[in-house]
Amino acid sequence: MTALGFRRRPVTLMYHAFSVGKAAHDPYDLHVDVAAFEDQLLRLRAAGWKALDLDGYLGWRPGDQPGFLVTIDDGFQSAVDLALPVLARLGVPSLMMLPAGLLGSTTTWLEEQPDAPILSADVVPDLAAARMEVGGHGWDHQDMRTLSAAGLVQHTTGVAERLRELTGGGAPRSFAYPFGWHDTAARAQVRAAGYTIGFSVYDDADAYAISRCDVKPDDTWATLRWKLVPGYRRLWRAAGAVKPLRSGLRRMTQRG
Ligand SMILES: [Zn+2]
């Protein structure tokens, strides 16, 4: 891999659901072909990136071997059925961000796909065997900017208590904001609830809003590699102001 550049922190990859081949119904572009997923993990490793668990992520310092952290949001059953065996086989650790109040239910917040199954509570204790650490993703996947103070507590502390009950281990350390949306109150509450780290999607604030690389079903190794270049998003936004630049960038990313 070229253009690793200087990194302040490891890359965090964000996945959601998985499919075998292209998903038949994927209105939100959430289902990554599990073969592509495996290929991405293998290529990252072959390119010199180390698969990190949360301890490795938190302990990483600039100058260390480049690292990546796999995060999977929402607890889709397809992540357990398809991605987890791949992660276990390759020995790649991951974080599974769970809407604790929807375990065993479905993706009720997705208007055009409300019936996708979410893993059930009795599966949660087994995830650790595949080095999959659970984190919080709100109680039932609401926009945290809209919640009352009591709601924020339920969606952070309530989630931590429920997950701790299920794992029988320590409190969850990581939190991902539903839809990636957060504000000062949400970040403060995630911190107050005892989480160590919070993940957003596109914007960075502090240790409680760390942006992630959103891996999409149509990403190829070439497009993903570009997304991992430090400053890619800034470059992309800047290119948006100049149409030919953006199409030039797109052409570059589509090259092998
Ligand atoms: Zn989500």
Side-chain angles (χ1 to χ4, degrees), residues 1 8 42 45 65 135 156 210 239:
M1 169 164 311
R8 283 190 304 123
L42 290 171
R45 277 192 166 167
Q65 181 184 353
T156 55
I210 290 173

Side-chain angles (χ1 to χ4, degrees), residues 70-88:
V70 172
T71 68
I72 306 176
D73 283 12
D74 300 335
F76 278 85
Q77 182 63 37
S78 63
V80 174
D81 294 342
L82 299 175
L84 187 128
V86 169
L87 291 163

Side-chain angles (χ1 to χ4, degrees), residues 18-218:
F18 297 86
S19 53
V20 176
K22 191 173 163 48
H25 179 61
D26 191 13
Y28 299 97
D29 287 337
L30 297 175
H31 294 69
V32 170
D33 180 354
V34 70
F37 176 58
E38 178 164 359
D39 184 60
Q40 289 158 5
L41 300 176
L42 290 171
R43 284 178 186 257
L44 279 165
R45 277 192 166 167
W49 297 63
K50 185 178 179 190
L52 301 172
D53 61 11
L54 187 53
D55 287 313
Y57 180 95
L58 294 169
W60 190 91
R61 295 292 172 263
D64 286 354
Q65 181 184 353
F68 67 96
L69 175 65
V70 172
T71 68
I72 306 176
D73 283 12
D74 300 335
F76 278 85
Q77 182 63 37
S78 63
V80 174
D81 294 342
L82 299 175
L84 187 128
V86 169
L87 291 163
R89 180 156 41 81
L90 300 183
V92 172
S94 59
L95 296 180
M96 172 61 87
M97 320 309 288
L98 294 173
L102 289 175
L103 299 178
S105 176
T106 62
T107 48
T108 50
W109 69 93
L110 295 177
E111 215 165 285
E112 293 176 51
Q113 191 172 33
D115 300 328
I118 294 179
L119 61 89
S120 65
D122 57 5
V123 172
V124 173
D126 302 335
L127 301 178
R131 299 181 71 195
M132 186 178 267
E133 177 175 333
V134 298
H137 194 44
W139 186 256
D140 56 357
H141 211 287
Q142 292 186 44
D143 176 356
M144 291 179 69
R145 301 169 305 178
T146 67
L147 299 174
S148 66
L152 281 176
V153 171
Q154 169 71 3
H155 284 252
T156 55
T157 306
V159 166
E161 283 169 1
R162 177 78 176 121
L163 293 180
R164 187 153 68 169
E165 238 172 63
L166 293 175
T167 59
R173 301 189 290 169
S174 58
F175 191 93
Y177 302 93
F179 311 103
W181 295 333
H182 58 91
D183 58 13
T184 310
R187 293 195 300 275
Q189 182 54 42
V190 168
R191 181 192 296 263
Y195 295 93
T196 306
I197 191 168
F199 294 107
S200 54
V201 181
Y202 296 114
D203 58 331
D204 286 282
D206 49 26
Y208 287 89
I210 290 173
S211 65
R212 293 179 286 172
C213 172
D214 184 6
V215 186
K216 294 292 201 181
D218 62 353

